[in-house]
Amino acid sequence: MAEDKKTASAVPPYLVAALICDVAVRDPSSGKQNLIGIFDTLRAAKFPTAQPMGLYLKVTDASGYYPIRVDFVRSDSDKLLTQAHGNLNAPDRMKSFHMSVNFTPLPIPAAGRYEFRLYASEMYLGSAFLDASPANGKM
């Protein structure tokens, strides 16, 4: 039997929050999202470096099925460093939906600005930025 292919929703969801943290985890007893170590600046002893990170996302005004993509890019060159993929099923447009992605160490080739860019059904929703700089403050 052939697998049913879902039709991606064309209704653009609204990105309420995109936060970078050390770890994002859902509490199994309460269902609440726990974000540990929220940050937007990374100081490294040397470059290139790599850093594990979590990304928390909250969207609303979504209706239907969305293939989700998160691109991690170097902002000044738009160079794609890695991607994550997932799905969102939003049966009720009046509710908010919470998602989290925990990345294994992400490559940070040099000091500069990096972004997590969120796409739902190939529609750009927004981003969260990360500024990487040397721990000693010298470029």
Side-chain angles (χ1 to χ4, degrees), residues 97-120:
F97 297 91
H98 308 265
M99 298 170 278
S100 59
V101 182
N102 288 298
F103 293 89
T104 57
L106 291 172
I108 312 288
R113 179 162 278 195
Y114 296 82
E115 289 178 77
F116 290 95
R117 295 178 181 166
L118 175 64
Y119 297 86

